[in-house]
Amino acid sequence: MTGTEISPSIEVIAALIAATLYVASYLSFVRLLKYPRNWFSPSLPASLVTGVLATFTVALVVLSADGLDLPALAITAAFFVVVFYIIAAPAIAFRPASRLSEFLAKHGEHAGLWLLGPALVAGLAVPNIKLQAVLATAMAIELTWFLRQRRSGRRRRLYPLNDHDRAVLEAQAKGDLVPFQRRNGIRELVLSEGTVSWNGCGKRTPPCPFNLYVNRLGLNTAPCCREHMKDLTHFIAACLSDMGVVHWLEGGSLLGAVREKGALLDWEDDIDISVLLDGDMTWERLATGIAKRGARDGYFVNLFEKKSFISISFDPPQRWPFRWERNRLRGEIRTDITIYRQAISCGEAVLERRSQKGAMPLTESGWYGVPREIVLPTSTIRFLGDDIACPKHAETYLHTLYGDFEKITYTYVDTEAAKIRGSVDAISN
Ligand SMILES: [Zn+2]
């Protein structure tokens, strides 16, 4: 039997399998994006799974009894690269990224739909039903994504900006808010008849991409995001206390508690809490406990056992298969939990972690640590309106991380933006 004699029903079944393989590749790819969003390189096994699924999809489309369909090969391969780059751009742009990635991230809600025209032309030009099925499936996913984002975006509500938020915004915009808003795609900013407010995010809306606004544009953390960070911090602190886990406020969050007298840094982009695994408290117990409470109370939990790291986000977990599509969003409101363990380094009892924080020194094991006596037994400090655990000697701890911590430094804020906001902060202080 030659290729031209293949029955139509077999062709249709092959097209359905190709479409299913595309959906599997897509879901595997969006799951992979959790790594760049949490500052990690993608894991090898997860990358291989995605690569194999994408390769199977392309192979099924281009191979037939007639041999290799070269036009379909060129189109499918190019389409995969472009659509996956568009999907990944918001996660890539969590760090400073190329202009193209930043541009695509800014339009991440609808950029996939730009391929609608090319996909239609390619589908009509190349009479390959499997290719047409893949293109139609991809476009249906992009359209659904766009419609869901647009619908949930309507649930935003207005927040007033305080005087300092406005002063920083106006300084960064050099007094001209409209072109600044347009140039940077700040859709949350509402300017009408001399008033400035913020169309704020909520539990059921896409988050403000505030880490971009804070770190690239040098703005203050959005008022809605500040409110949700507070909610998230108290949820996690209560959760850890209930479980009997030794924990303490870490990094910039501890700095806010000490230097800003219990407030967030104005340019805060996440909350940091550290946890000690010791005695009965194993990774499994901690991870299971947090995951269960997150699912019950509506917070998204990401576990990274090999990195000794857990991130907990304000947005609620979605049902399968949409669970990982959240990784297409440009921002998130998050608390990072870093695991410490007890160790002896140079004859001294230390608490050490796998990743570096500030200027925390290396320990003998190649991790990074602080003397145990600085942290344990933990004390408490006022933070965002409630008491939360902190290192026993919080100021010594901060000195280990940041040296002269009373001096303001904008660690993750772009240089020019930091200089501008620095002059506003100096006046308001
Ligand atoms: Zn927000």
Side-chain angles (χ1 to χ4, degrees), residues 261-280:
K261 307 199 168 27
L264 290 168
L265 300 180
D266 287 325
W267 54 94
E268 189 57 275
D269 65 356
D270 65 4
I271 299 289
D272 289 313
I273 292 178
S274 289
V275 155
L276 179 65
L277 284 191
D278 199 24
D280 288 347

Side-chain angles (χ1 to χ4, degrees), residues 28 34 45 57 68 75 94 105 118 140 198 207 218 251 292 336 395 399 401:
S28 174
K34 71 178 182 170
T57 313
L68 186 65
I75 291 168
F94 259 61
W198 193 264
K292 207 187 275 179
D336 291 343
E395 298 199 355
H399 196 270
L401 293 186

Side-chain angles (χ1 to χ4, degrees), residues 119-131:
L120 196 64
V121 172
L124 291 173
V126 180
N128 177 328
I129 186 174
K130 294 173 287 183
L131 173 68

